[in-house]
Amino acid sequence: MDVMIRDRGNRKWTAIMLPEKVAAVKQEVINLEKVKQPILDEDRLTKIEMLIHEAMEYNLQLKFKLFKKGYIESAIHTLSTT
């Protein structure tokens, strides 16, 4: 006997939740995805600076990871001195 269960899934639970509670849960999920801002020490900053200078000298592409409002974004750029 194949009986298919037709459950409404999340809709069933969000219907009995207050809109404020739903908004708070969504905000909590967003906050869980955020990361703390990395702290770079002097040695790491010096290495990054050397990589940037080398990329500028040889017109190389660099992939930057930028911290922005709790998230890490990637950007690829070719640096040149001209």
Side-chain angles (χ1 to χ4, degrees):
M1 177 184 259
D2 285 330
V3 177
M4 202 165 141
I5 297 174
R6 301 186 100 184
D7 190 15
R8 292 176 287 160
N10 288 336
R11 288 187 294 163
K12 176 172 55 176
W13 296 107
T14 56
I16 63 172
M17 293 174 65
L18 296 173
E20 297 85 17
K21 183 67 175 176
V22 173
V25 169
K26 286 181 182 178
Q27 186 61 44
E28 186 62 30
V29 169
I30 290 170
N31 289 340
L32 288 174
E33 295 174 355
K34 289 185 177 183
V35 295
K36 288 186 177 183
Q37 183 174 3
I39 299 173
L40 302 175
D41 62 356
E42 194 66 35
D43 289 338
R44 187 72 177 135
L45 289 173
T46 303
K47 288 179 184 178
I48 292 170
E49 186 177 323
M50 289 172 52
L51 283 171
I52 291 172
H53 285 294
E54 187 175 324
M56 289 175 68
E57 184 176 340
Y58 298 109
N59 292 333
L60 300 174
Q61 279 190 344
L62 286 179
K63 180 178 181 181
F64 292 94
K65 290 187 177 181
L66 309 169
F67 178 83
K68 186 175 182 181
K69 297 182 181 179
Y71 299 98
I72 303 292
E73 297 178 2
S74 295
I76 298 175
H77 291 285
T78 302
L79 303 176
S80 63
T81 56
T82 57

